[in-house]
Amino acid sequence: METKKITLLYTSDVHGYILPTNYSDHQERALGLAKLATVIKQKRKHDAIILLDNGDLIQGSPFTFYHAKYHSDRPNPMVKVANEMGYTSSVFGNHEFNYGLDYLRSVIEQADFPWLSATVVNKEDNEPAFGKPYLMKEVDGIKIAILGVTTHYIPNWEDPKNIPNLAFVDAVEATKEWVAHIKKEEQPDVCIVSYHGGFERDLETGEPTEPLTGENQGYRMCHEVEGIDILLTGHQHRSIATELNGVTVVQPSNNAQLLGEVSMTLTKESGSWKMTDSKPNLLEVDASIEADQTIVNLVQDLEHKTQEWLDTPIGQMDGDMSITDPLTVRLKEHPFVEFVNKVQMDVANVTISNTALFNNDSPGFPKNVTMRDIVSNYVYPNTLKVVRITGKDIKDALEKSATYFVIDKDGEVAVNPAYMNPKPQHYNYDMWEGIEYELKISNPIGDRVASLNYQGAPINDEQEYDVVMNNYRAGGGGNFTMFQGKPVVKDIPTDMTELIANYIIKQKMIKVSNNSNWKVIK
């Protein structure tokens, strides 16, 4: 009986990381496409390879931010590298749209490979917006179908001006339709669904791991869509290599720290090929793996310019704005959080603001501030919106943020495990300026706002207030549904990193302050 072996390699959520650095300092890190390229070249020497990307490729690092903001007329560095590495296809991730459609179209035009998605469609005709949703690829005589699918939750996060005339259809329904079409019309030997989305339920128990909003639908796909052999996932930045309901599933973390791998064995039966075995695996990038010099050379010039930009001094802090314990920052107001909120309030000319400490790696600001310090703390390409909401909306938002905490077995306030697994979501806990409040975590969920005042008096549930927040939150991102559909009275389209930098440059010396307008208690 004749057999063949094919190795599927794939990346997801690379987020603009090519060189082995996270840009917070000059230390080498075990990540980046340059290191993965070394692994992939070794694999190609021995195996028949197909290399795919699963989305969120072009955005997410200071390197790609610098290109998009200052050198967008130059060839896209992520596409240059992906072309050199020999990708077969990529899927649109939600962050592909962050820099607008003109930027994205230039990326598509420069790519030597197709970008796929069955769920990103034109509003007027519901047809795939950027060409075919799937690709047929023959490898060593084996017919492989690759269907691209993007989480349809994008309108809940993305600035509408970045996705004009686009619609995003239900990922499960689109996958059902297109897998059935592919099976009938193409009769592939292997059907791969590359889904920029993750899992909404525990893979073993089936219990929900998040609100079932439709953001992640991988569990449903494995149980409801017939004909999928391999489901490649992403978006959640998890590390997964397993099988679910007979479907091989993989997810390779983020920032090119891992390379997803599926080793396929195909057997010829009655004149046709059938996949008889598939082994999922995650290949780790460690310190022993050297960055591929060809890849490094492709981006060296832009990398040098990025590093110079990051090390440009822009102002000073008069006082301590460093962060040593992120939990403490979230329990009682910290000067850094107050500063970010004050920047937002100053730019928007309003008296109420909210923001988040996005992750546990934020170092705060040193005495002498550079662009590197700003992008190390403010890691997302957010813009600002001023939303008109009621006092009840503010209270509801605080109650939602209060679910970030639990009382642990020692009787102390701790982070709710739901905000840590399946992926960290520290960015979904907001801290406010311009109001005074106290959250009491020993109270039942939904009744944790122990006090809430505005300008010395209790907030009026019916009164309207103008609040500045980032565009992700203003659209209801993080399941802050109380903000969805509310009037946007001002749109500030400048990236927050630029707003922070401009504020510091203008002030030159920032007086560090902390008015302690809120706190979290047991």
Side-chain angles (χ1 to χ4, degrees):
M1 188 175 292
E2 189 179 357
T3 63
K4 289 185 178 181
K5 294 187 181 295
I6 297 173
T7 300
L8 164 64
L9 301 175
Y10 96 106
T11 54
S12 189
D13 299 89
V14 171
H15 284 296
Y17 283 89
I18 296 173
L19 301 185
T21 176
N22 65 6
Y23 293 96
S24 63
D25 52 36
H26 293 279
Q27 299 299 310
E28 182 169 317
R29 299 295 200 279
L31 53 79
L33 286 180
K35 280 181 175 270
L36 287 190
T38 299
V39 178
I40 293 165
K41 280 186 176 180
Q42 289 298 318
K43 286 280 181 181
R44 280 200 166 109
K45 290 179 180 179
H46 309 288
D47 302 334
I49 294 292
I50 182 170
L51 177 62
L52 308 177
D53 181 73
N54 192 49
D56 281 3
L57 176 68
I58 66 171
Q59 178 280 334
S61 70
F63 176 75
T64 47
F65 174 85
Y66 178 73
H67 175 268
K69 292 300 180 182
Y70 302 109
H71 293 286
S72 61
D73 57 329
R74 296 179 56 175
N76 188 281
M78 301 307 298
V79 176
K80 281 172 63 178
V81 167
N83 286 343
E84 175 64 28
M85 291 174 66
Y87 276 86
T88 296
S89 67
S90 185
V91 173
F92 296 102
N94 51 297
H95 285 290
E96 254 68 62
F97 300 91
N98 286 170
Y99 297 137
L101 288 190
D102 288 344
Y103 189 87
L104 180 55
R105 288 192 181 101
S106 73
V107 164
I108 296 167
E109 289 169 3
Q110 292 171 50
D112 293 342
F113 50 87
W115 288 76
L116 309 174
S117 183
T119 50
V120 183
V121 300
N122 296 314
K123 278 183 179 177
E124 65 270 17
D125 58 14
N126 226 38
E127 291 296 316
F130 300 99
K132 289 182 67 174
Y134 71 91
L135 170 72
M136 293 301 301
K137 175 75 171 178
E138 187 169 309
V139 181
D140 196 20
I142 306 299
K143 290 173 61 180
I144 299 174
I146 305 148
L147 173 66
V149 183
T150 305
T151 175
H152 61 259
Y153 211 61
I154 289 173
N156 292 281
W157 308 309
E158 192 55 72
D159 193 319
K161 69 180 175 58
N162 288 337
I163 50 174
N165 305 315
L166 294 180
F168 299 83
V169 298
D170 184 270
V172 170
E173 297 307 315
T175 304
K176 285 179 183 177
E177 174 187 340
W178 283 102
V179 167
H181 171 86
I182 290 167
K183 288 286 189 179
K184 179 181 178 182
E185 299 297 328
E186 307 288 357
Q187 298 179 359
D189 302 313
V190 180
C191 183
I192 299 168
V193 174
S194 187
Y195 169 47
H196 190 84
F199 295 96
E200 70 280 31
R201 295 179 180 272
D202 184 278
L203 272 63
E204 293 184 0
T205 67
E207 290 297 312
T209 53
E210 62 186 36
L212 302 180
T213 60
E215 176 181 350
N216 298 297
Q217 297 179 301
Y219 191 91
R220 281 189 63 195
M221 287 181 182
C222 289
H223 284 82
E224 297 181 23
V225 182
E226 292 187 13
I228 302 176
D229 295 307
I230 299 168
L231 180 66
L232 307 179
T233 63
H235 185 55
Q236 292 175 314
H237 299 184
R238 298 168 66 183
S239 302
I240 299 171
T242 188
E243 183 180 278
L244 178 61
N245 195 37
V247 179
T248 301
V249 296
V250 190
Q251 189 172 144
S253 184
N254 64 304
N255 297 358
Q257 298 176 86
L258 299 173
L259 181 65
E261 178 185 55
V262 180
S263 301
M264 297 179 278
T265 301
L266 294 106
T267 305
K268 200 167 191 179
E269 299 176 358
S270 304
S272 61
W273 291 98
K274 182 180 180 181
M275 191 172 75
T276 51
D277 190 34
S278 60
K279 291 184 170 61
N281 190 24
L282 296 173
L283 304 176
E284 187 174 357
V285 174
D286 59 34
S288 68
I289 297 172
E290 296 288 332
D292 182 85
Q293 199 56 46
T294 301
I295 301 300
V296 172
N297 292 342
L298 280 176
V299 298
Q300 197 66 66
D301 179 55
L302 188 64
E303 173 70 13
H304 180 70
K305 288 182 169 60
T306 302
Q307 294 290 352
E308 285 186 337
W309 170 70
L310 287 171
D311 286 327
T312 303
I314 59 172
Q316 291 185 316
M317 295 291 150
D318 181 9
D320 185 6
M321 208 182 280
S322 61
I323 294 173
T324 56
D325 180 2
L327 179 59
T328 300
V329 174
R330 297 184 181 106
L331 291 174
K332 187 175 182 180
E333 188 174 44
H334 184 277
F336 175 79
V337 174
E338 180 175 299
F339 170 76
V340 174
N341 272 320
K342 282 186 173 180
V343 171
Q344 294 186 172
M345 292 159 69
D346 179 79
V347 170
N349 194 28
V350 297
T351 58
I352 306 176
S353 171
N354 67 47
T355 191
L357 186 67
F358 296 125
N359 57 45
N360 285 344
D361 297 323
S362 293
F365 286 150
K367 179 176 176 56
N368 296 301
V369 182
T370 66
M371 281 304 304
R372 190 183 302 279
D373 298 314
I374 294 175
V375 300
S376 294
N377 284 282
Y378 208 102
V379 296
Y380 294 113
N382 292 333
T383 58
L384 297 179
K385 292 182 184 294
V386 177
V387 184
R388 184 160 292 162
I389 58 177
T390 65
K392 185 178 185 304
D393 293 327
I394 293 175
K395 183 176 184 296
D396 290 345
L398 288 170
E399 291 288 0
K400 175 69 178 69
S401 279
T403 64
Y404 177 81
F405 298 108
V406 293
I407 302 296
D408 67 14
K409 57 182 175 53
D410 298 321
E412 300 298 325
V413 178
V415 178
N416 186 337
Y419 283 78
M420 295 297 295
N421 297 299
K423 73 169 182 177
Q425 297 181 55
H426 303 296
Y427 51 81
N428 283 331
Y429 168 70
D430 288 335
M431 294 159 281
W432 293 61
E433 189 65 34
I435 58 176
E436 304 84 44
Y437 63 93
E438 186 175 279
L439 304 180
K440 188 175 176 62
I441 307 308
S442 57
N443 285 354
I445 286 178
D447 192 29
R448 290 178 166 181
V449 178
S451 66
L452 175 57
N453 296 322
Y454 173 66
Q455 296 182 345
I459 285 258
N460 184 328
D461 278 0
E462 305 303 319
Q463 186 174 335
E464 292 183 325
Y465 303 85
D466 289 351
V467 180
V468 60
M469 61 189 76
N470 67 56
N471 61 294
Y472 170 76
R473 189 68 79 236
N479 298 309
F480 282 76
T481 55
M482 69 292 299
F483 299 145
Q484 288 179 335
K486 296 299 165 70
V488 176
V489 298
K490 189 181 295 185
D491 185 3
I492 302 163
T494 306
D495 191 282
M496 258 303 283
T497 55
E498 291 186 40
L499 294 175
I500 293 171
N502 291 339
Y503 184 90
I504 295 174
I505 290 168
K506 181 180 178 182
Q507 300 288 333
K508 295 185 177 64
M509 177 70 75
I510 304 296
K511 182 70 176 177
V512 175
S513 63
N514 184 354
N515 61 16
S516 301
N517 64 297
W518 62 268
K519 62 180 177 179
V520 177
I521 61 174
K522 282 196 273 188

